[in-house]
Amino acid sequence: MSDENDKPTAPAERVTVPEGMESVLPEDAPRILLPLFEGPLDLLLYLIKRERIDIHDLPIAPITRQYMEYLDVMQELSLDVAGEFMVMAATLIHIKSKMLVPIEPTEAEGDEEHVDPREELVRRLLEFQRYKDAAGVLHQQAQIRAAQWTRPDTVLPSFDEAGEEMLEAGLYDLISAFKELLDRRKALIAHEVEGEGPSVEQRMEGLLAMIKEGESLEFLALFASLETKAEMIVTFLALLELIRLKRVRVYQRGMFGPIRVFRPVGPPAEGALAPA
């Protein structure tokens, strides 16, 4: 997650619950603000890499459909998806509509070259990717310097059971895993009964009780005993809050691989929950 997590944060705002979702989000659900590099362009790049799409030949219809599906999940999770995300959704829909309009024969035969409606978006994506890569190099160098001069206060696993290096998972990796979980259990949660569920703080304590210090658990195992969509959403929000507080960290075997949640050994971050 972003280094912005180290900065003091204001008290969580109460969520404005969209119509029809009153039974899903609890009153204490925090408004999750997306850090730098986790905006709409980053989501598009994530989908492009995940589906192994040629960025220079974007299939607008399927990428728009997937983008909107992720937006739906993010809105249910009360992630901050207003503004830029909605503008990008409108941009994708506009490009899609322009590509559906047939090219006039006179335009095709004219001297002026036909402009691909995707051209500007591709340019922005490539520019953003270069900027993100450069920032990633600077962040990696800072981590190397910190490792040389400071002693870490936590012990984190570098390899999985098979001896393969684990990559730290990002927000969209988590959202993708949660989206797949909801898709798999759609039939189970279709007719859930409304009721008073646990708070985000209670679920945070429950997750810490599930994962012992220095050990890890599969992401899906956190939701194995849950039967309602409300419980799953609260648990996911609790996981995001634990990540923000540096009580747990999430890794995956290779890009887009299965996610494991690790609980570091060491003192909790300031303001974190007491050890379970």
Side-chain angles (χ1 to χ4, degrees):
M1 309 297 283
S2 171
D3 289 341
E4 289 188 357
N5 294 339
D6 297 336
K7 300 178 182 178
T9 55
E13 300 177 6
R14 286 292 179 89
V15 175
T16 302
V17 183
E19 184 179 355
M21 291 175 56
E22 291 82 356
S23 65
V24 175
L25 291 173
E27 289 187 358
D28 71 330
R31 169 69 65 184
I32 307 295
L33 300 178
L34 302 182
L36 188 64
F37 293 139
E38 289 175 351
L41 287 174
D42 198 44
L43 175 54
L44 280 179
L45 284 175
Y46 175 84
L47 294 173
I48 288 168
K49 291 177 181 178
R50 181 180 177 85
E51 301 302 320
R52 299 181 181 180
I53 292 172
D54 181 1
I55 195 171
H56 297 282
D57 187 24
L58 285 179
I60 289 296
I63 205 74
T64 300
R65 182 177 63 252
Q66 291 184 49
Y67 181 89
M68 298 305 295
E69 288 175 355
Y70 273 71
L71 240 58
D72 288 342
V73 175
M74 291 164 68
Q75 286 178 316
E76 283 199 84
L77 292 168
S78 189
L79 295 177
D80 186 28
V81 296
E84 289 183 323
F85 282 90
M86 297 306 178
V87 171
M88 179 58 70
T91 299
L92 290 170
I93 294 171
H94 178 66
I95 294 174
K96 180 181 175 182
S97 65
K98 290 186 71 174
M99 294 186 69
L100 292 175
V101 177
I103 301 174
E104 295 291 337
T106 53
E107 182 182 352
E109 295 172 2
D111 295 333
E112 187 175 344
E113 185 178 351
H114 173 66
V115 177
D116 191 326
R118 303 169 296 179
E119 185 177 319
E120 175 60 19
L121 177 59
V122 170
R123 184 195 64 77
R124 289 176 60 195
L125 285 168
L126 292 173
E127 182 179 352
F128 179 78
Q129 181 65 69
R130 287 193 294 269
Y131 182 56
K132 185 177 178 181
D133 289 344
V137 170
L138 293 175
H139 178 66
Q140 186 178 43
Q141 291 174 346
Q143 285 185 317
I144 292 173
R145 286 195 297 270
Q148 289 174 337
W149 299 107
T150 63
R151 181 169 180 248
D153 59 356
T154 60
V155 177
L156 291 173
S158 299
F159 298 88
D160 68 354
E161 295 86 347
E164 296 182 49
E165 189 172 2
M166 301 287 279
L167 304 175
E168 192 156 12
L171 177 62
Y172 293 132
D173 295 301
L174 290 167
I175 292 174
S176 178
F178 187 69
K179 178 179 177 298
E180 291 178 6
L181 172 68
L182 292 182
D183 289 342
R184 291 179 190 174
R185 304 182 68 175
K186 189 173 295 183
L188 176 64
I189 63 180
H191 305 290
E192 66 181 55
V193 179
E194 296 183 19
E196 186 71 23
S199 67
V200 172
E201 187 173 84
Q202 288 172 329
R203 287 305 299 147
M204 290 168 68
E205 294 172 348
L207 291 177
L208 290 177
M210 292 175 66
I211 311 172
K212 296 180 181 179
E213 284 194 351
E215 297 185 4
S216 68
L217 209 60
E218 287 282 353
F219 173 83
L220 294 179
L222 305 181
F223 305 86
S225 63
L226 305 182
E227 298 181 352
T228 69
K229 189 175 184 178
E231 290 177 311
M232 294 179 193
I233 288 178
V234 172
T235 298
F236 188 82
L237 292 175
L239 175 62
L240 291 184
E241 185 66 6
L242 287 174
I243 294 171
R244 186 187 70 81
L245 294 173
K246 301 184 186 300
R247 296 303 310 275
V248 301
R249 298 185 72 170
V250 285
Y251 289 80
Q252 56 190 165
R253 183 189 299 173
M255 191 173 291
F256 311 121
I259 294 174
R260 294 191 70 87
V261 181
F262 293 86
R263 184 176 176 187
V265 175
E270 185 178 349
L273 296 177

